[in-house]
Amino acid sequence: KQGALGVGLYRSEFLFLARRTLPTEEEQVTIYRKLLNLMGGRPVTIRTFDLRPDKLASYAQLGSSTTRPFDWRIVLTSHPLQQLFREQVRAILRAATEGPARILIPLVTRSEVLDFVLETLAWAKEALVREGLDHVPNVPVGVMIEVPAAVPMVGTWAEQVDFFALGTNDLTAASMGMDRDDPIASGQLDSLHPGMLRLIHSTVSDAHQARKPVSVCGEIAADPLGALALVALEVDSLSVAVPQYATTRAALTGIKPGEIADLRPQMLRQRTARGVRALLEGKRTN
Ligand code: PEP
Ligand code: MG
């Protein structure tokens, strides 16, 4: 209703958090179909379960001993998580008959994880064909760039994926050596740190070199100056939480990418986030 062109980040782990049990494949098919149906033909990017004890910490009943086998960071050694991931991938491919779904993998840090993801997808397609279940085999697959070590890998991974999504919440915290929920971090984590802008610039350049689009789905896109910076850095799409949509939209109204092209080199030359903000303020139209 607000005019968004799609769902840029559907945090599927909320399904788990809301009920504290794992949804089955059939339950997921029903939920994803409903979501695609509600979006009436606009693309929906379903991020696979980003389960991590730090994210679950606020849910008191889920102690880390319960959640550890489902910690996405240990996917290559966790059989329960691999099984959960297989079911989720199957569910997304099956639900995609209802509308344009996209699969997004959180926190890809190593090529081995990407290989596991792609092997699982190939396996899921074969299994669905064998079982005669309706599905869409060519659902676009993207990876989230959320740790600094992943940034220089973008060019290497580009030929294996369809798109990239920068998770600037985690990327900022990891780059600054902070825990994103640590009270000390608040006030010190500014995603407009010039080093962060260089990481984003590097990601976009390497992805575009391979003709792959980049979206940003961290809080930075909800900051009017952040949104402007991302457009100047030639990010292809922005994703924000629904309550922030109008602010981001307004921040970009009247901005023509060609007119702010000179912003990019100027921003990248700044020494401080404060300097970046001052520069962007001068270009603001709203
Ligand atoms: C991010 O890290 O920027 C992101 C979009 O993912 P989440 O906030 O769910 O960790
Ligand atoms: Mg994240």
Side-chain angles (χ1 to χ4, degrees), residues 9 11 47 52 55 144 146 167-170 180 217-218:
L9 178 68
R11 290 177 164 100
R47 179 175 70 186
R52 292 182 247 164
K55 287 198 159 192
M144 289 195 79
E146 306 194 82
T168 52
N169 302 335
D170 279 310
R180 64 194 251 188
C217 45

Side-chain angles (χ1 to χ4, degrees), residues 172-216:
T172 307
S175 303
M176 303 285 283
M178 300 250 193
D179 180 341
R180 64 194 251 188
D181 301 318
D182 186 331
I184 294 176
S186 73
Q188 298 205 34
L189 289 182
D190 190 336
S191 296
L192 292 181
H193 181 304
M196 270 298 294
L197 299 185
R198 289 177 203 199
L199 291 174
I200 296 171
H201 176 57
S202 163
T203 302
V204 173
S205 307
D206 292 351
H208 285 182
Q209 183 87 23
R211 300 185 192 289
K212 299 292 159 81
V214 179
S215 64
V216 167

Side-chain angles (χ1 to χ4, degrees), residues 226-278:
L228 192 54
L230 294 171
V231 173
L233 290 168
E234 298 186 323
V235 165
D236 301 285
S237 55
L238 308 183
S239 174
V240 292
V242 174
Q244 265 82 50
Y245 179 81
T247 313
T248 301
R249 182 82 268 171
L252 297 176
T253 302
I255 298 285
K256 301 214 170 39
E259 288 168 14
I260 53 166
D262 57 327
L263 258 184
R264 190 174 62 236
Q266 289 173 15
M267 274 190 320
L268 295 173
R269 273 201 300 274
Q270 296 298 314
R271 291 186 64 249
T272 61
R274 210 166 145 185
V276 172
R277 289 189 176 278

Side-chain angles (χ1 to χ4, degrees), residues 114-147:
L114 179 56
D115 295 344
F116 163 76
V117 164
L118 298 176
E119 281 159 20
T120 304
L121 264 155
W123 166 87
K125 289 173 203 176
E126 275 175 34
L128 291 171
V129 169
R130 217 175 29 246
E131 293 163 35
L133 287 170
D134 262 1
H135 67 286
V136 175
N138 55 346
V139 169
V141 179
V143 293
M144 289 195 79
I145 301 298
E146 306 194 82
V147 295

Side-chain angles (χ1 to χ4, degrees), residues 102-114:
R102 310 199 311 161
I103 299 180
L104 180 59
I105 312 297
L107 207 76
V108 175
T109 54
R110 300 187 278 150
S111 301
E112 289 87 339
V113 172
L114 179 56

